[in-house]
Amino acid sequence: MKADILVVDDEKEIADLIELYLANESYTVHKFYNGRDALAYLETETPALAVLDVMLSDMNGFSICQKIRETQNFPIIMLTAKDEEIDKITGLTLGADDYMTKPFRPLELIARVKAQLRRFTMYNNVPLQEEDQNTISVSGLVINKLNHTCTLNEKPLSLTPTEFSILWSLCKNRGEVVSSDRLFFDVWGEKYYSNNNNTIMVHIRHLREKMNDSSEKPKYIKTVWGVGYKIE
């Protein structure tokens, strides 16, 4: 059975087009043309993934993203009308996992939906007998791939799926420098991310904020300029 996908866009033609392509992949689509109805849906339902337009007629998609992140960690893909860097940074900072700029190619959106769902499902369906090899502890940081949890000094960290994947990749390769290209491959597995370093930078910054870490004197995530990132 395919996943439930929430689609919110006040441009009817775009929302209908997204629904058509998702339905062709056998996903169940819950489509709304405004934020109010989408929030009402989210009060009682939890989709597997959300596709949110930034500019809606009654509110912006950032508000919906922020509301979701208060209680849920399912993947969120933002749609931006303009190629504005601030929109992308804002969405990622509020907890979005990915973004696309309009106009976009529907097949690329489908590819990104599949990549996000595949990664999120993988982290939530690891066999029980693999628990030991899916738990890593580094200087008070404990990350568990089995149940998709992370604690720092015994206090839980609320991470988005993308943030969790980046942190897991760094912890798994602790002591080694992980390049941005390798992080893209580990997290998304799609070639079209290979030159988009700003995405990784924003997620790293957000991880540091949640961990009360510093870019100047980092205790956990260290930047190796021109190479990548590492956790020692």
Side-chain angles (χ1 to χ4, degrees), residues 20-66:
L20 175 64
Y21 275 82
L22 288 172
N24 283 340
E25 296 292 330
S26 299
Y27 293 113
T28 301
V29 180
H30 302 270
K31 178 181 61 178
F32 300 96
Y33 302 124
N34 62 71
R36 182 186 65 255
D37 291 342
L39 288 176
Y41 164 81
L42 287 167
E43 288 180 359
T44 58
E45 303 294 336
T46 301
L49 180 144
V51 179
L52 308 177
D53 185 26
V54 171
M55 300 300 296
L56 299 171
S57 58
D58 57 344
M59 64 178 66
N60 62 55
F62 296 143
S63 299
I64 301 175
C65 177
Q66 193 170 23

Side-chain angles (χ1 to χ4, degrees), residues 15-207:
D16 293 349
L17 180 65
I18 295 173
E19 180 185 33
L20 175 64
Y21 275 82
L22 288 172
N24 283 340
E25 296 292 330
S26 299
Y27 293 113
T28 301
V29 180
H30 302 270
K31 178 181 61 178
F32 300 96
Y33 302 124
N34 62 71
R36 182 186 65 255
D37 291 342
L39 288 176
Y41 164 81
L42 287 167
E43 288 180 359
T44 58
E45 303 294 336
T46 301
L49 180 144
V51 179
L52 308 177
D53 185 26
V54 171
M55 300 300 296
L56 299 171
S57 58
D58 57 344
M59 64 178 66
N60 62 55
F62 296 143
S63 299
I64 301 175
C65 177
Q66 193 170 23
K67 185 70 174 177
I68 291 171
R69 284 296 173 248
E70 290 177 0
T71 57
Q72 300 290 339
N73 280 326
F74 58 79
I76 298 174
I77 299 176
M78 303 294 299
L79 301 179
T80 61
K82 297 182 294 184
D83 191 16
E84 294 286 350
E85 193 69 21
I86 188 63
D87 281 350
K88 300 171 184 177
I89 292 174
T90 299
L92 294 173
T93 299
L94 290 174
D97 297 281
D98 195 6
Y99 59 81
M100 293 189 68
T101 303
K102 296 179 179 179
F104 57 86
R105 293 178 296 171
L107 289 178
E108 183 175 349
L109 174 61
I110 296 300
R112 296 196 187 195
V113 166
K114 288 181 177 180
Q116 291 290 341
L117 288 174
R118 181 170 60 247
R119 180 164 44 82
F120 187 68
T121 301
M122 176 181 67
Y123 284 133
N124 284 277
N125 290 280
V126 180
L128 187 60
Q129 60 268 27
E130 296 182 8
E131 181 172 5
D132 289 342
Q133 61 182 320
N134 285 284
T135 302
I136 299 174
S137 179
V138 183
S139 301
L141 175 69
V142 179
I143 185 167
N144 188 304
K145 187 178 178 181
L146 176 68
N147 53 28
H148 207 268
T149 59
C150 184
T151 60
L152 181 59
N153 298 323
E154 300 184 352
K155 295 181 180 180
L157 290 178
S158 179
L159 304 179
T160 68
T162 298
E163 290 166 357
F164 185 93
S165 299
I166 291 174
L167 189 57
W168 173 262
S169 180
L170 291 172
C171 288
K172 182 179 64 175
N173 298 287
R174 57 194 179 279
E176 301 177 15
V177 179
V178 184
S179 68
S180 294
D181 284 347
R182 183 173 176 183
L183 282 174
F184 276 123
F185 181 81
D186 285 352
V187 175
W188 287 282
E190 301 290 342
K191 290 183 179 180
Y192 48 72
Y193 288 100
S194 60
N195 295 318
N196 202 340
N197 289 326
N198 283 339
T199 302
I200 290 292
M201 289 173 62
V202 172
H203 284 302
I204 291 291
R205 186 179 68 189
H206 206 203
L207 273 169

